[in-house]
Amino acid sequence: MSLSNFGVMDLNSEPQASPTTLPAPPRLVPEIEEELDLQSSSDGLGELNAESVVEAAELLLREGAPHDFDVVVIGAGPGGLTCAIQLAQHGQSVALVEREELGGVCLNRGCIPTKTLLESVGALRLIRRSQSFGISVSGEIHPDLRQMQVRKREVVAELRAQSEKLAEEVGVHVLRGTASLLGEGGIELVEQNGITKRLSAIHIVVATGSSPTKLPITGTDLKGVLTSDEILELEIVPRRLIILGAGAVGVEFASIFAELGTETTILEKAGAVLPGEDEDIQREMKRSLEDSNIKVAVSASVERIEQTQTGLRVVCETEDGELGFEAELVLMATGRKTNVEGLGLSNAGIDTRSGIIVVGEDGATNATGVWAIGDCIRRVGWAHQAAIEGRRVADAILGIESDIDTRFVPACYYTFPEVASVGMTLKESQKAGLDARVGRCSFRHNGRANTSGDNGGFVKLVVEMGSGKLLGAQIIGPHATELINEIAVALRDGDTAERLADALHAHPTFAEILPEAARAALR
């Protein structure tokens, strides 16, 4: 996970860190008046927001009092790391607290390790169909999961080292330990050696992320019931695997292990795989999974997990009654919980809702000088979503007028084929009262897809009638997770199908399918 991928510059110039300077006590009342542009007239005072006055006054008091850092960021995942580096690049004194490894779940136990394994499996798939490219491979092909894991760890270690180097170069102070809030800019840090310290800062950014959870049913504590963290370290391919949940985690691990020869079954409580995605995408994904010899059962509510003589048995309530599925291992891919326990949110008076930190559009909590980003404000999100929120909060702290738009967040599934979406589906647009239609184009009509031997799937563009404004896109097919970015930019800029249809795309490329779909929407 190179930080440049999240919009943070990898500076080769001299480090831009500034030492912590304790300013002389200011003349508080005149500074507050200047900050808020107070008028002596009653009309001027009447236009002020009382909460803003109090918050500005509190921040000025903190700035005038001795403090250890301008900003303390808690959590070094994509959001926290991006935020800390951007702030340090702009001269802020920044501490980044992390109890494990820099990069968070994304780099160490999520995005990067799973995609590294998927790349290995992708190479295996390509070798297995090499005959169709006119290449004969003699002898048996033996995938080596242990060696794949070695490569995965090397990739993760290299990217982690890059992140650590960049943080050091710009002057971020990385503190290893566990932080909790004390209120009024105070933080308690328990270092990894057990020593407790107290820190103070003008601003605090909470970016503690989330952790995998297990269903509240009997049997989840049995040996062989794994979370995504644990299955990522397997070095022996299981003979049979049951995956609970058909979201991003579930379908990606199913794709990995099915290709390695594991008899794989997905059980999904909802009525379709990839819950929340476009219905056509869901049907095509289910068909693709089944073509890969993955058994899929939807509308299957897991009741319990039992120990058997040969492994585990998952009992589900389905439309056909109670059914049992057996395997050696069971993967819980059913959700995540926010990492806020022990964070001291109540000490700082921070509002939460069902364990989720409540924030405004700019990432500010109700507590002065405290911000929150990433999974801790929504439980389940995307790494790129946390990263751009980190940039937005950094801008707010720096007082920079930001043009960052977080409305259009691509959803990406790295399967065979890939799936990606952004914006509205047709059904969502109609539910919102919009008159919309779909332009659809299949990859079998795309020259580059045919040359690659991978021409399954399609693109759907949702377009508002009349104005022609793009509302969303859903893609299943080769390089879907790359193609979706062009549509995300177009949505941000308020582009129309006509503009996309008229945009010149190089030939032959996979991206040519996008203007083709736009032209289909205009016909």
Side-chain angles (χ1 to χ4, degrees):
M1 183 195 65
S2 172
L3 267 293
S4 62
N5 294 337
F6 294 125
V8 176
M9 295 181 295
D10 189 352
L11 300 180
N12 293 316
S13 57
E14 291 299 313
Q16 299 185 24
S18 61
T20 304
T21 303
L22 303 180
R27 294 170 57 233
L28 293 177
V29 173
E31 287 201 8
I32 293 173
E33 289 180 349
E34 181 180 353
E35 178 76 16
L36 297 175
D37 192 23
L38 293 180
Q39 304 296 322
S40 59
S41 69
S42 58
D43 290 342
L45 289 172
E47 295 173 359
L48 290 171
N49 181 301
E51 292 183 2
S52 298
V53 173
V54 172
E55 183 172 346
E58 288 181 2
L59 286 174
L60 284 168
L61 285 169
R62 287 188 197 174
E63 290 172 6
H67 52 272
D68 298 300
F69 299 97
D70 296 328
V71 186
V72 171
V73 180
I74 305 174
L81 197 52
T82 301
C83 184
I85 289 173
Q86 181 167 327
L87 287 166
Q89 286 174 333
H90 284 80
Q92 296 287 293
S93 172
V94 182
L96 179 59
V97 180
E98 176 54 54
R99 63 186 179 188
E100 296 181 5
E101 300 288 352
L102 259 64
V105 170
C106 171
L107 175 53
N108 298 286
R109 297 175 301 282
C111 316
I112 298 303
T114 54
K115 277 51 178 184
T116 306
L117 292 177
L118 281 161
E119 286 295 331
S120 294
V121 169
L124 177 63
R125 286 170 57 89
L126 192 59
I127 292 170
R128 283 174 170 163
R129 60 190 182 101
S130 63
Q131 192 71 41
S132 65
F133 291 91
I135 300 172
S136 297
V137 178
S138 60
E140 292 188 29
I141 300 167
H142 296 287
D144 186 342
L145 181 56
R146 186 172 283 106
Q147 194 57 42
M148 291 179 187
Q149 292 284 18
V150 169
R151 178 177 180 270
K152 178 204 78 177
R153 294 182 188 113
E154 289 174 349
V155 170
V156 170
E158 171 61 26
L159 291 174
R160 188 190 301 134
Q162 290 179 23
S163 296
E164 291 171 348
K165 181 181 179 182
L166 180 55
E168 180 183 0
E169 285 179 346
V170 300
V172 173
H173 302 266
V174 177
L175 306 179
R176 304 285 183 171
T178 302
S180 59
L181 306 181
L182 300 174
E184 298 182 352
I187 299 163
E188 182 179 85
L189 173 67
V190 180
E191 297 180 322
Q192 292 178 335
N193 58 11
I195 296 176
T196 299
K197 294 182 178 180
R198 177 165 179 160
L199 307 174
S200 59
I202 301 171
H203 295 276
I204 298 170
V205 181
V206 179
T208 50
S210 64
S211 302
T213 59
K214 292 185 176 181
L215 290 174
I217 58 173
T218 59
T220 58
D221 57 343
L222 293 172
K223 184 179 180 181
V225 179
L226 311 175
T227 66
S228 56
D229 289 357
E230 296 156 342
I231 200 169
L232 259 177
E233 301 306 317
L234 283 185
E235 294 191 344
I236 298 176
V237 178
R239 189 169 64 86
R240 291 181 298 172
L241 171 67
I242 293 173
I243 298 176
L244 307 185
V249 174
V251 295
E252 288 182 10
F253 276 111
S255 299
I256 291 170
F257 284 99
E259 197 64 38
L260 294 176
T262 300
E263 183 182 312
T264 305
T265 301
I266 297 176
L267 304 178
E268 170 56 53
K269 183 177 181 180
V273 300
L274 304 185
E277 292 295 333
D278 172 79
E279 292 177 357
D280 288 342
I281 296 288
Q282 291 174 334
R283 282 190 288 270
E284 184 68 12
M285 186 75 252
K286 184 172 183 289
R287 186 193 64 77
S288 296
L289 291 168
E290 291 172 341
D291 286 348
S292 298
N293 296 318
I294 298 169
K295 298 175 183 177
V296 180
V298 296
S299 301
S301 179
V302 179
E303 300 291 323
R304 61 189 182 276
I305 302 173
E306 303 170 341
Q307 189 82 55
T308 68
Q309 290 184 342
T310 58
L312 298 168
R313 182 171 185 263
V314 178
V315 180
C316 295
E317 187 64 39
T318 71
E319 294 174 345
D320 299 322
E322 189 174 271
L323 296 177
F325 301 84
E326 296 193 2
E328 297 170 27
L329 300 177
V330 174
L331 169 62
M332 287 278 182
T334 49
R336 303 182 67 84
K337 63 178 180 179
T338 56
N339 294 331
V340 296
E341 187 175 347
L343 191 55
L345 297 178
S346 60
N347 296 335
I350 295 174
D351 289 342
T352 62
R353 186 181 300 117
S354 301
I356 297 172
I357 299 175
V358 178
V359 297
E361 290 185 3
D362 59 354
T365 70
N366 64 298
T368 300
V370 182
W371 313 74
I373 57 177
D375 283 7
C376 66
I377 66 172
R378 64 176 55 83
R379 186 175 291 115
V380 179
W382 303 91
H384 44 279
Q385 188 175 19
I388 201 166
E389 288 171 349
R391 290 182 55 216
R392 182 181 62 186
V393 164
D395 283 348
I397 291 173
L398 293 165
I400 297 173
E401 186 174 346
S402 179
D403 194 33
I404 290 174
D405 190 338
T406 59
R407 291 176 300 162
F408 305 108
V409 180
C412 298
Y413 308 86
Y414 298 80
T415 46
F416 305 107
E418 289 186 351
V419 173
S421 65
V422 68
M424 291 181 170
T425 64
L426 179 62
K427 181 175 286 188
E428 287 169 343
S429 65
Q430 292 172 340
K431 189 175 180 180
L434 299 173
D435 186 12
R437 63 171 299 177
V438 166
R440 177 167 171 158
C441 186
S442 297
F443 277 99
R444 67 174 179 271
H445 301 309
N446 178 267
R448 187 70 183 88
N450 280 279
T451 65
S452 73
D454 189 3
N455 65 355
F458 53 83
V459 171
K460 292 178 67 176
L461 291 182
V462 183
V463 178
E464 185 178 26
M465 300 287 285
S467 70
K469 185 177 179 180
L470 292 170
L471 300 175
Q474 299 83 45
I475 307 174
I476 181 167
H479 303 281
T481 59
E482 299 291 338
L483 297 173
I484 202 65
N485 295 301
E486 182 175 345
I487 304 302
V489 173
L491 289 172
R492 178 187 184 277
D493 293 343
D495 277 347
T496 63
E498 185 175 10
R499 281 179 56 83
L500 179 56
D502 291 341
L504 180 62
H505 287 65
H507 175 79
T509 60
F510 293 101
E512 287 179 287
I513 196 171
L514 300 178
E516 287 292 342
R519 283 189 279 274
L522 295 171
R523 287 198 285 269

